[in-house]
C-alpha cells in the first residue's frame, strides 16, 4: 500500500530535490540531510530503504553527466575499502544504534570543517592519492553510507585535501557512490528492507531524481572553483550540526 500521509510527501519531496542538487553539483555534502529529513516522518531504517532506489536513479544521471570526469587512481584505492565498509555494515546491521552513527558523522564533519576554516593558510599544498588513507576513509564511508546514506563526509575528508578540479571532484564522488549504492542493493534486499510499500513509494518519487540532479549540474557549471570549495565546506558544517543535534537529542532523551 502506498504511503498517503500528505506530511510525508511535504517533507520527502524537498529532501529528494536537495539530495539530487547536492549529488549533481556539489559532491554530496548537503545531501546527507536527506535521510534525517525523511526520518522525521518515518523510521530511520525505512527512510534509508525508500531513498536507496531513488539514489540509484540519480546515479544513472550522474554517471552519464560525469562519465569523462573522474579520477581512476583514487577509484582504484576507494572501491576495495568501500566494499569492506558495506560488509561491516551488513554484519552489524541488527545491532547498530543509528543515533550513535549520526553523532559520529556529525563530529567528523564539524572537525574537518573547523580545520579548514581555522587554518592559518587557507591554500595548502595539495595532497596526492594515498592508498592507506584512502582505504581507511572509504571503509568508513561505505559503513556510514550503508547505515544512513551518510558516506559523504568521510569521503570528503580524503578527497578535499587533494584540491582537485571541481568537476573532477564531483565526478569522482558520483562514480564512487554509484558503485556503493548499487552494491548496497544486495544486502538491503537480503535484510528485508525492500517491502512492497517501500518500493512503491520509491517508484512514485523517482521522477524527482533526474530533476534534482540536473538542477545540481546546472548550478555546478555556474559557480567558480574557490566559491565551490567554500560552499562544500559550509554544507558539511550544516550537515554536521544537524547530525550532531539529532544524535545528542535522541541519546539524551
Amino acid at each position: 500500500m502506498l504511503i498517503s500521509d500528505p506530511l510525508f510527501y511535504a517533507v520527502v519531496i524537498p529532501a529528494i530535490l536537495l539530495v539530487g542538487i547536492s549529488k549533481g553539483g556539489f559532491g554530496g555534502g548537503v545531501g546527507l540531510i536527506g535521510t534525517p529529513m525523511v526520518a522525521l516522518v518515518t523510521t530511520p531504517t525505512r527512510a534509508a530503504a525508500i531513498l536507496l532506489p531513488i539514489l540509484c536513479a540519480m546515479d544513472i544521471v550522474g554517471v552519464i553527466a560525469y562519465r569523462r570526469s573522474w579520477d581512476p587512481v583514487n577509484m582504484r584505492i576507494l572501491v576495495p575499502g568501500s566494499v569492506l565498509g558495506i560488509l561491516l555494515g551488513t554484519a552489524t546491521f541488527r545491532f547498530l544504534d543509528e543515533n550513535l552513527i549520526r553523532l559520529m558523522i556529525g563530529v567528523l564533519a564539524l572537525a574537518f570543517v573547523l580545520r579548514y576554516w581555522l587554518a592559518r593558510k587557507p591554500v595548502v599544498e595539495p595532497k596526492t592519492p594515498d592508498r592507506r588513507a584512502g582505504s581507511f576513509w572509504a571503509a568508513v564511508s561505505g559503513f556510514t553510507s550503508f547505515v544512513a546514506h551518510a558516506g559523504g563526509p568521510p569521503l570528503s575528508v580524503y578527497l578535499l585535501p587533494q584540491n582537485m578540479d571541481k568537476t573532477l571532484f564531483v565526478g569522482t564522488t558520483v562514480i564512487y557512490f554509484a558503485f556503493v549504492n548499487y552494491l548496497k542493493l544486495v544486502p538491503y534486499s537480503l535484510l528485508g528492507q525492500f517491502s512492497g510499500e517501500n518500493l512503491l513509494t520509491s517508484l512514485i518519487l523517482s521522477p524527482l531524481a533526474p530533476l534534482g540532479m540536473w538542477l545540481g549540474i546546472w548550478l555546478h557549471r555556474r559557480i567558480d572553483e574557490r566559491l565551490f570549495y567554500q560552499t562544500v565546506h559550509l554544507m558539511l558544517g550544516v550537515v554536521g550540526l544537524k547530525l550532531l543535534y539529532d544524535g545528542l537529542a535522541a541519546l539524551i532523551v
Side-chain angles (χ1 to χ4, degrees):
M1 182 181 295
L2 182 67
I3 297 174
S4 57
D5 183 3
L7 178 61
F8 175 85
Y9 294 98
V11 173
V12 172
I13 289 173
I16 292 173
L17 290 175
L18 192 60
V19 170
I21 290 170
S22 177
K23 283 174 64 69
F26 302 99
V30 80
L32 289 179
I33 296 176
T35 301
M37 281 183 66
V38 179
L40 294 174
V41 289
T42 187
T43 64
T45 301
R46 191 178 192 190
I50 290 172
L51 284 175
L52 183 55
I54 298 171
L55 293 176
C56 289
M58 292 178 180
D59 290 329
I60 295 173
V61 178
V63 169
I64 293 172
Y66 292 101
R67 65 189 181 280
R68 296 187 178 91
S69 302
W70 57 281
D71 187 348
V73 175
N74 274 306
M75 200 61 60
R76 285 193 292 270
I77 294 172
L78 294 169
V79 164
S82 70
V83 173
L84 179 62
I86 291 170
L87 289 174
L88 180 61
T90 304
T92 59
F93 176 77
R94 303 293 184 187
F95 313 102
L96 292 175
D97 185 320
E98 292 170 327
N99 294 306
L100 285 175
I101 296 297
R102 289 192 182 107
L103 190 62
M104 178 185 70
I105 298 167
V107 170
L108 174 64
L110 288 174
F112 185 67
V113 170
L114 286 174
R115 187 184 74 169
Y116 174 81
W117 289 109
L118 298 178
R120 292 183 178 181
K121 296 180 179 180
V123 179
V124 297
E125 188 69 22
K127 292 186 177 181
T128 57
D130 180 89
R131 183 167 297 278
R132 182 177 297 179
S135 298
F136 171 78
W137 289 115
V140 176
S141 174
F143 176 75
T144 55
S145 179
F146 180 87
V147 174
H149 305 317
L155 183 65
S156 296
V157 169
Y158 171 68
L159 287 180
L160 284 177
Q162 297 181 32
N163 288 346
M164 303 163 70
D165 168 80
K166 66 175 184 178
T167 302
L168 187 65
F169 171 79
V170 175
T172 301
T173 64
V174 164
I175 301 300
Y176 169 80
F177 281 113
F179 171 81
V180 166
N181 287 332
Y182 275 88
L183 183 59
K184 288 190 300 187
L185 288 173
V186 177
Y188 266 54
S189 178
L190 293 176
L191 291 167
Q193 294 289 81
F194 296 136
S195 67
E197 187 175 30
N198 287 348
L199 285 176
L200 183 57
T201 303
S202 299
L203 180 63
I204 295 297
L205 294 168
S206 61
L208 296 169
L211 175 59
M213 287 292 290
W214 285 117
L215 282 172
I217 293 167
W218 182 84
L219 289 171
H220 172 83
R221 293 169 178 169
R222 285 157 178 80
I223 296 180
D224 66 47
E225 199 153 328
R226 182 179 177 183
L227 179 59
F228 166 76
Y229 275 100
Q230 290 175 343
T231 302
V232 170
H233 284 87
L234 179 62
M235 290 192 302
L236 280 174
V238 172
V239 168
L241 287 171
K242 169 64 176 172
L243 293 176
L244 189 63
Y245 173 81
D246 286 348
L248 285 173
L251 291 173
I252 290 173
V253 174

